[in-house]
Amino acid sequence: MTSSTPHHWVITLVCADQPGIVHAVSGAIVQANGNISESQQFSSDDTGRFFMRLQVQSPATRPELEAALAPVIDRYQAMSIIDVVGRPLRTLVLASSAGHCVNDLLFRQRGGQIPVEIPLVLSNHGTLRDLVGFYGVPFESLPITDAASKANFEARVLEAVDELDIELVVLARYMQILSPELCARLSGRAINIHHSFLPGFKGANPYRQAHARGVKLIGATAHFVTGDLDEGPIIEQNVVRVDHSRTPAELISIGQDEESRTLTQAVKWFAENRVLLDGARTIIFK
Amino acid sequence: MTSSTPHHWVITLVCADQPGIVHAVSGAIVQANGNISESQQFSSDDTGRFFMRLQVQSPATRPELEAALAPVIDRYQAMSIIDVVGRPLRTLVLASSAGHCVNDLLFRQRGGQIPVEIPLVLSNHGTLRDLVGFYGVPFESLPITDAASKANFEARVLEAVDELDIELVVLARYMQILSPELCARLSGRAINIHHSFLPGFKGANPYRQAHARGVKLIGATAHFVTGDLDEGPIIEQNVVRVDHSRTPAELISIGQDEESRTLTQAVKWFAENRVLLDGARTIIFK
Amino acid sequence: MTSSTPHHWVITLVCADQPGIVHAVSGAIVQANGNISESQQFSSDDTGRFFMRLQVQSPATRPELEAALAPVIDRYQAMSIIDVVGRPLRTLVLASSAGHCVNDLLFRQRGGQIPVEIPLVLSNHGTLRDLVGFYGVPFESLPITDAASKANFEARVLEAVDELDIELVVLARYMQILSPELCARLSGRAINIHHSFLPGFKGANPYRQAHARGVKLIGATAHFVTGDLDEGPIIEQNVVRVDHSRTPAELISIGQDEESRTLTQAVKWFAENRVLLDGARTIIFK
Amino acid sequence: MTSSTPHHWVITLVCADQPGIVHAVSGAIVQANGNISESQQFSSDDTGRFFMRLQVQSPATRPELEAALAPVIDRYQAMSIIDVVGRPLRTLVLASSAGHCVNDLLFRQRGGQIPVEIPLVLSNHGTLRDLVGFYGVPFESLPITDAASKANFEARVLEAVDELDIELVVLARYMQILSPELCARLSGRAINIHHSFLPGFKGANPYRQAHARGVKLIGATAHFVTGDLDEGPIIEQNVVRVDHSRTPAELISIGQDEESRTLTQAVKWFAENRVLLDGARTIIFK
């Protein structure tokens, strides 16, 4: 009952760590006539959880593969995802007026470098309409001026998530703080990007603070959105070297480059099912 | 018949790629009451070979573990290593007069950062005697002035390899070209370090050439020794940024730092059984 | 006779090294009521040349500034450029079908991050017409299929350089080898980008060679075009870490990112008069 | 009255920014028959201060050079240092029991890579006696167990600073908090090293916190000691990439490498008069 051409599957599995899991999973793969082309696993000493990601070439259909894995998932009480390698993830992008992260995502999406499809960019400003339109992606802007318009914007986010079968929400320099309710609703499927410094700076205008303190490295952190906006589990970080001659404006420009590449990298890994949560931190199977 | 305290084993396995290997290996681990704490695998599209490295906690003795794995190794015609995690690798260091790589290796070995024991540093100069002695490591120098003294030096290398049960030979800025015979004898168990530039420079005084060409990055490459001295499979590479103001002497100093840390990293990975050969290239299971 | 608002000037000066130059130049700046806001200098031990770059705020007009500097330039037989900081450099972009470098240049040019204006993108393919058009930049394609059409393309390059007052020609993954005549005509004002590896690989399909050899770093080098196409003075280099799991296709994708950012950086520095030639190498006043 | 062999001088100068400074300074150099071999300057928009560092080859004696510069220093109310390039800076090292930073400093000092001489390593533990002794450097340990013994230790620091003509105090993983009085006494001439993370972590066991949060980069910051121990002006920072598989112990080991190289770099720049203070930040003339 298997199809004639083998498919390329990605399987993730998370459960309590114990002996025999790999043997059980690999047995299911054998049963589905699969060959493991990529495999990574990790046992967390922190949480006692076991994490596994496989890429498998197999002629099995999805129901056949699910049937082969079902006893294993059941036995180990595992959370598991079965997906096709390269399937584009349905992604909603939230933006404000800064275009660097949006442009990087759209350019690379079009070039086939990140497996996402973007049915909508939603912004609280109209600035990016032309840029987004060039890539043939629908664009909506809904101004946020007060509590009511913000609630309206967030309602549109949730509506779009439902209507458009959204699997990932990317905050591509969306400069509004999400409500706790929206954070909760998007838990584990929303990624934010923000600048990062050594040391960290709290409060307004961090680039100016970084300049005043004379930091030698500036960078960016991509992380899951949680109620504590900039404190969610970290997915990726990058830094670049700067020196005393940089003005605050130049630091911002340099920081934007880091933001773009860090966010795009995080989205790519998430879309490839390479990002798993282990309590407050992420397991990244690169 | 198992011991009361579980041991921490490392297992590597290389064979022709085919379905079922992971299942078979993990079955043997289950049989030995083992729990897999770290696992990496790779299927090479280039050579059709399958590579696997496991760390396993198991109360089994070595004979028990070998017995469990023997049918799998036999069935898949695999090359396999079974070792105890953290066992110090018997390492012979060859040096000339430059001390930066030797110092880095000895300091980190003493600090427990790299699992090697060094029963001998052998040099064609006496320069490093005090440095090596400080770390309590035996030191011999045998001058090389002509073909006969070079043959004598190489004979001493092979003798030491036998006498001292050497598993790895590290050329820590040993500035003599090894004879083809010695390269062949040490194949797969000798690591060399050399400077690296973009582009590469052939011939004498590469740092001066790099300076003349105005390269912006200089680095180092650690690789296995083969008959073609600087062309063996690459284990690790690093670079650092330089600019036009650097003199050739400064480039050398900067390059030496890269050489030290690159060589030490390569030795560490090798000693941890993380370096496997796939034709002309290495698989590194970090 | 000075204007009421001070201008921001950039001045470069190259001459034989000798005592007193800085004093003479700074005297001319004082005479022009200028204040030096940025200053860099370098004395080359290789060539005995002295290099200087100044940014000066002064209410002087261009003729006044030239008059103040003329005696110094004359006395030291110096080559000198006087320009306005931030003036967009007239830049011709040559491309083929790959869009990554062109997109990066156009996006950043539009965002004001690099001081260039691009009156034309000229390609031997039509692939990038829409991308270039989106940024409102004229695009021409002239196919190259044989010696005659190649000569025709190069004639159009020279014609465009004249007609459009081009000051810089950027080869943004233009995949044709320039004729020696064109290299000579564009000497010192054409920048090329190419991939870089440790070690370097000659011949076709270098990414496949890099993969086969298992390189751990891949990168890009931006350099001036000379008759020896990939061997001109280096302006900027970057590398990124890769491992054995990368396919040749992935190495190409990673390499393209490095190409984009390295080329854009080189163009930015050149447009800011920060790149000076010292024989076969560059002085970069960042 | 000048000496027959030219000397290599380093001159730093800090004053309020205004036109004509460079001309005045370079005039004094001409008067002293000097040739400027290296020159850097910076005008701080933050504080309105002007910073300059010169390297000058001149046959003048120190009194002659001082006489030539005196009118300039007087006119611009400048702070200035005149020193001989490469003169070893008298450096006191404070340590506890960790040896990585001390070893790196001593090894490079002996190799001539950093221009310091170290007449004493003072520690609150005896652990490093042999290591320090190997390099022929005097070592004292004074245990700190309570307020009185801590006051005693700090009194010895100040005594050593006086007796040994100390110009720089390096806290090479000295794990005690300096008293406010000692911080004040050593202001601008004491350098500390500490780990750095994105984001920063307050409180005990930061590596464990970094592990729990899953940071992807860890690093180190070298900074001037101020009353707020880890908040002084930053001299140098480095980071290195880590992933989820690193244990807290491994993070510590990786972090120590960054600490060593970052501290050594900061000491080198300081000893070369390349570090100038601009309010809460540093100007680094690399």
Side-chain angles (χ1 to χ4, degrees):
Chain A
M1 221 49 60
T2 57
S3 68
S4 53
T5 53
H7 290 97
H8 204 174
W9 300 96
V10 56
I11 299 163
T12 67
L13 185 136
V14 181
C15 60
D17 194 16
Q18 56 199 290
I21 304 170
V22 174
H23 191 55
V25 172
S26 57
I29 303 302
V30 168
Q31 185 189 323
N33 293 313
N35 194 21
I36 300 173
S37 61
E38 191 175 319
S39 167
Q40 288 144 307
Q41 64 175 78
F42 180 69
S43 300
S44 171
D45 288 343
D46 299 38
T47 59
R49 310 284 293 164
F50 173 83
F51 300 83
M52 191 172 205
R53 180 186 185 277
L54 298 172
Q55 288 190 194
V56 173
Q57 281 175 315
S58 160
T61 62
R62 176 181 283 271
E64 288 168 341
L65 193 59
E66 287 176 344
L69 283 162
V72 180
I73 292 170
D74 191 52
R75 175 173 163 200
Y76 290 102
Q77 300 282 307
M79 292 180 299
S80 179
I81 288 173
I82 301 175
D83 208 339
V84 172
V85 170
R87 181 184 69 81
L89 199 76
R90 303 278 296 172
T91 301
L92 171 66
V93 174
L94 304 188
S96 290
S97 51
H100 55 289
C101 287
V102 171
N103 182 68
D104 202 65
L105 284 168
L106 294 178
F107 179 73
R108 288 171 200 280
Q109 179 269 332
R110 189 177 67 168
Q113 293 177 272
I114 45 174
V116 298
E117 54 189 351
I118 302 175
L120 180 62
V121 174
L122 182 59
S123 175
N124 59 325
H125 291 278
T127 324
L128 303 177
R129 185 176 305 275
D130 285 355
L131 174 68
V132 174
F134 168 68
Y135 288 100
V137 170
F139 177 87
E140 288 181 26
S141 73
L142 285 174
I144 295 180
T145 56
D146 54 14
S149 55
K150 182 169 174 180
N152 184 48
F153 188 97
E154 295 203 343
R156 178 64 186 126
V157 170
L158 287 174
E159 183 186 66
V161 165
D162 284 346
E163 276 176 7
L164 300 171
D165 293 322
I166 295 301
E167 300 168 284
L168 171 65
V169 176
V170 177
L171 281 64
R173 297 307 283 156
Y174 172 66
M175 301 302 284
Q176 298 282 324
I177 296 173
L178 296 196
S179 68
E181 295 72 30
L182 190 57
C183 290
R185 290 285 292 274
L186 300 179
S187 177
R189 50 179 178 149
I191 297 177
N192 188 29
I193 183 73
H194 72 87
H195 45 70
S196 295
F197 306 96
L198 297 161
F201 297 104
K202 300 290 183 187
N205 212 330
Y207 281 101
R208 184 160 290 282
Q209 290 186 65
H211 175 80
R213 182 72 193 285
V215 299
K216 307 304 183 195
L217 297 173
I218 63 174
T221 296
H223 60 91
F224 280 112
V225 172
T226 60
D228 195 355
L229 185 60
D230 289 348
E231 300 286 334
I234 296 166
I235 301 170
E236 175 63 336
Q237 304 185 292
N238 285 296
V239 293
V240 69
R241 189 167 291 276
V242 295
D243 68 21
H244 61 266
S245 71
R246 297 299 180 185
T247 63
E250 288 173 323
L251 294 184
I252 290 173
S253 171
I254 292 166
Q256 286 180 343
D257 281 359
E258 295 308 293
E259 290 167 4
S260 298
R261 70 184 187 105
T262 304
L263 179 60
T264 297
Q265 181 65 75
V267 168
K268 181 174 191 289
W269 283 336
F270 185 90
E272 294 173 347
N273 289 293
R274 296 183 183 279
V275 181
L276 302 175
L277 272 168
D278 179 34
R281 67 199 201 107
T282 59
I283 309 305
I284 311 286
F285 287 138
K286 296 183 192 181
Chain B
M1 221 50 59
T2 58
S3 70
S4 53
T5 52
H7 290 97
H8 204 174
W9 300 96
V10 57
I11 299 163
T12 66
L13 185 134
V14 181
C15 61
D17 194 16
Q18 57 200 286
I21 303 170
V22 174
H23 191 56
V25 172
S26 58
I29 303 302
V30 169
Q31 184 188 325
N33 293 313
N35 193 21
I36 300 172
S37 62
E38 189 175 333
S39 168
Q40 287 144 307
Q41 63 175 77
F42 179 69
S43 299
S44 171
D45 289 341
D46 297 39
T47 60
R49 310 284 294 164
F50 173 84
F51 301 83
M52 191 173 203
R53 181 187 186 276
L54 298 171
Q55 288 191 194
V56 173
Q57 280 174 316
S58 160
T61 62
R62 175 182 283 272
E64 289 168 340
L65 193 58
E66 288 175 345
L69 282 162
V72 180
I73 292 169
D74 192 50
R75 174 174 163 200
Y76 291 101
Q77 300 283 305
M79 294 180 299
S80 179
I81 289 173
I82 300 174
D83 208 339
V84 173
V85 170
R87 180 184 69 82
L89 199 77
R90 303 278 296 171
T91 302
L92 171 65
V93 174
L94 304 188
S96 290
S97 51
H100 56 287
C101 287
V102 171
N103 181 69
D104 202 66
L105 283 168
L106 294 177
F107 179 73
R108 288 171 200 280
Q109 180 270 330
R110 189 179 66 169
Q113 294 176 271
I114 46 174
V116 298
E117 56 190 348
I118 302 175
L120 181 61
V121 174
L122 181 59
S123 175
N124 59 326
H125 292 277
T127 324
L128 303 178
R129 184 176 305 277
D130 286 355
L131 174 68
V132 174
F134 167 69
Y135 288 101
V137 170
F139 177 88
E140 288 180 26
S141 72
L142 285 174
I144 296 180
T145 56
D146 54 14
S149 56
K150 182 170 174 179
N152 184 47
F153 187 98
E154 295 202 345
R156 178 62 187 126
V157 171
L158 288 173
E159 183 187 67
V161 165
D162 284 346
E163 277 178 6
L164 301 170
D165 294 322
I166 294 301
E167 300 167 282
L168 172 66
V169 177
V170 177
L171 282 64
R173 299 303 286 156
Y174 172 66
M175 300 302 284
Q176 298 282 324
I177 295 172
L178 297 196
S179 68
E181 295 71 31
L182 191 57
C183 291
R185 289 285 294 273
L186 300 178
S187 177
R189 51 178 178 151
I191 296 177
N192 188 30
I193 183 74
H194 72 87
H195 46 70
S196 296
F197 306 96
L198 297 161
F201 298 104
K202 300 291 182 184
N205 212 333
Y207 281 101
R208 184 160 290 282
Q209 289 186 65
H211 174 79
R213 182 71 192 286
V215 300
K216 308 305 181 195
L217 298 173
I218 64 175
T221 296
H223 60 92
F224 280 112
V225 172
T226 60
D228 195 355
L229 186 59
D230 289 348
E231 299 287 333
I234 296 166
I235 301 171
E236 175 65 333
Q237 304 185 293
N238 284 297
V239 292
V240 69
R241 188 166 291 276
V242 295
D243 68 21
H244 60 266
S245 70
R246 299 298 182 185
T247 62
E250 288 173 322
L251 294 185
I252 289 172
S253 171
I254 292 166
Q256 287 180 343
D257 281 359
E258 295 306 294
E259 290 167 5
S260 298
R261 72 184 185 104
T262 304
L263 180 60
T264 297
Q265 181 64 75
V267 168
K268 180 174 194 287
W269 284 335
F270 185 90
E272 294 173 348
N273 290 294
R274 296 182 184 277
V275 181
L276 302 175
L277 272 168
D278 178 34
R281 66 198 203 110
T282 60
I283 309 305
I284 311 286
F285 287 138
K286 296 183 190 179
Chain C
M1 221 49 57
T2 57
S3 68
S4 53
T5 52
H7 291 96
H8 204 174
W9 300 96
V10 56
I11 300 163
T12 66
L13 185 134
V14 181
C15 60
D17 194 17
Q18 55 200 288
I21 304 170
V22 174
H23 190 55
V25 172
S26 58
I29 303 303
V30 168
Q31 185 189 323
N33 293 312
N35 194 21
I36 300 173
S37 61
E38 191 175 319
S39 167
Q40 288 144 307
Q41 64 175 77
F42 179 69
S43 300
S44 171
D45 288 342
D46 298 38
T47 59
R49 309 285 292 165
F50 172 83
F51 300 83
M52 190 171 204
R53 181 187 185 275
L54 298 172
Q55 287 190 195
V56 173
Q57 281 174 315
S58 160
T61 61
R62 177 183 282 271
E64 289 167 341
L65 193 57
E66 288 176 345
L69 284 162
V72 181
I73 291 170
D74 190 52
R75 174 173 164 199
Y76 291 102
Q77 299 282 306
M79 292 181 299
S80 179
I81 287 172
I82 300 175
D83 208 339
V84 173
V85 170
R87 180 184 70 81
L89 199 76
R90 303 278 296 171
T91 302
L92 171 66
V93 174
L94 304 187
S96 290
S97 51
H100 56 288
C101 287
V102 172
N103 182 68
D104 202 64
L105 284 168
L106 294 178
F107 179 73
R108 288 172 201 279
Q109 180 268 330
R110 190 178 66 169
Q113 293 177 272
I114 45 174
V116 298
E117 55 190 349
I118 302 175
L120 180 62
V121 173
L122 182 59
S123 174
N124 59 326
H125 292 278
T127 325
L128 302 177
R129 185 178 304 276
D130 285 356
L131 174 68
V132 174
F134 167 69
Y135 287 101
V137 170
F139 177 87
E140 287 180 28
S141 72
L142 285 173
I144 296 180
T145 56
D146 54 15
S149 56
K150 182 169 174 179
N152 184 47
F153 188 98
E154 295 203 344
R156 177 65 187 125
V157 170
L158 287 173
E159 183 186 69
V161 166
D162 284 346
E163 276 176 7
L164 301 171
D165 293 322
I166 294 300
E167 300 167 284
L168 172 65
V169 176
V170 178
L171 282 64
R173 297 306 284 156
Y174 171 66
M175 301 302 283
Q176 298 283 323
I177 295 173
L178 297 196
S179 69
E181 295 72 30
L182 190 57
C183 290
R185 291 285 294 273
L186 300 178
S187 176
R189 50 179 178 151
I191 298 177
N192 188 31
I193 183 73
H194 72 87
H195 45 70
S196 296
F197 306 96
L198 298 161
F201 297 104
K202 300 289 183 188
N205 212 331
Y207 281 101
R208 184 160 290 283
Q209 290 186 65
H211 175 79
R213 181 72 193 285
V215 300
K216 307 304 182 195
L217 298 173
I218 63 173
T221 296
H223 60 91
F224 280 111
V225 172
T226 60
D228 196 355
L229 186 60
D230 289 348
E231 299 287 333
I234 295 167
I235 301 170
E236 175 64 335
Q237 304 185 292
N238 284 297
V239 293
V240 69
R241 188 166 291 276
V242 295
D243 69 19
H244 61 267
S245 71
R246 298 300 180 184
T247 63
E250 287 173 323
L251 294 185
I252 290 173
S253 171
I254 292 166
Q256 287 180 342
D257 281 359
E258 294 308 293
E259 290 167 5
S260 298
R261 71 184 185 106
T262 304
L263 179 61
T264 297
Q265 181 65 76
V267 168
K268 180 174 192 288
W269 283 336
F270 185 90
E272 294 173 347
N273 290 293
R274 296 182 183 279
V275 181
L276 302 175
L277 273 168
D278 180 34
R281 67 199 201 108
T282 60
I283 309 306
I284 310 287
F285 287 138
K286 296 182 193 180
Chain D
M1 221 50 56
T2 56
S3 69
S4 53
T5 52
H7 289 97
H8 204 174
W9 300 97
V10 57
I11 299 163
T12 66
L13 185 134
V14 181
C15 61
D17 193 16
Q18 57 200 285
I21 304 170
V22 174
H23 190 56
V25 172
S26 58
I29 303 302
V30 169
Q31 185 189 325
N33 292 314
N35 194 20
I36 299 172
S37 61
E38 190 175 332
S39 167
Q40 288 144 306
Q41 64 175 77
F42 180 69
S43 300
S44 171
D45 288 341
D46 298 37
T47 60
R49 310 284 293 164
F50 172 84
F51 301 83
M52 191 172 204
R53 181 187 186 276
L54 298 172
Q55 288 191 195
V56 173
Q57 280 174 316
S58 160
T61 62
R62 175 182 284 272
E64 289 167 341
L65 193 58
E66 289 175 344
L69 283 162
V72 180
I73 292 169
D74 191 52
R75 175 173 161 198
Y76 292 101
Q77 300 283 306
M79 294 181 297
S80 179
I81 289 173
I82 300 174
D83 208 339
V84 173
V85 171
R87 181 184 70 82
L89 199 77
R90 302 280 296 172
T91 302
L92 171 66
V93 174
L94 304 187
S96 289
S97 51
H100 56 288
C101 287
V102 172
N103 181 68
D104 202 65
L105 284 168
L106 295 177
F107 179 73
R108 288 171 200 279
Q109 179 270 329
R110 189 179 65 169
Q113 293 177 272
I114 46 174
V116 299
E117 55 190 349
I118 302 174
L120 180 62
V121 174
L122 182 59
S123 175
N124 60 325
H125 293 277
T127 325
L128 303 177
R129 184 177 305 277
D130 285 356
L131 174 69
V132 174
F134 167 69
Y135 287 100
V137 170
F139 177 88
E140 289 180 26
S141 73
L142 285 174
I144 296 180
T145 55
D146 54 15
S149 56
K150 181 168 174 179
N152 185 47
F153 187 98
E154 295 203 345
R156 178 62 187 125
V157 170
L158 287 173
E159 183 186 68
V161 166
D162 283 346
E163 276 177 6
L164 301 171
D165 294 322
I166 294 300
E167 300 166 282
L168 171 66
V169 177
V170 178
L171 281 63
R173 299 303 287 155
Y174 172 66
M175 301 302 285
Q176 298 283 323
I177 294 173
L178 297 196
S179 68
E181 296 71 30
L182 190 56
C183 290
R185 290 286 293 273
L186 300 178
S187 177
R189 50 179 179 152
I191 296 176
N192 188 30
I193 183 74
H194 72 87
H195 46 70
S196 296
F197 306 95
L198 297 162
F201 298 104
K202 300 292 181 185
N205 212 333
Y207 281 102
R208 185 160 290 285
Q209 290 186 65
H211 175 79
R213 182 71 192 286
V215 300
K216 307 305 181 194
L217 298 173
I218 63 173
T221 296
H223 60 91
F224 280 111
V225 172
T226 60
D228 195 356
L229 186 58
D230 289 348
E231 300 286 333
I234 296 166
I235 302 170
E236 174 65 333
Q237 304 186 293
N238 284 297
V239 293
V240 68
R241 189 166 291 276
V242 295
D243 68 21
H244 60 266
S245 70
R246 299 298 182 185
T247 63
E250 287 173 322
L251 294 184
I252 290 172
S253 171
I254 292 166
Q256 287 180 343
D257 281 359
E258 296 306 295
E259 290 167 5
S260 298
R261 71 184 186 106
T262 303
L263 180 60
T264 298
Q265 181 65 76
V267 168
K268 181 174 193 286
W269 284 336
F270 185 89
E272 293 173 349
N273 289 294
R274 296 182 184 278
V275 181
L276 302 175
L277 271 168
D278 179 34
R281 68 200 202 109
T282 59
I283 310 304
I284 311 287
F285 288 137
K286 297 183 189 177

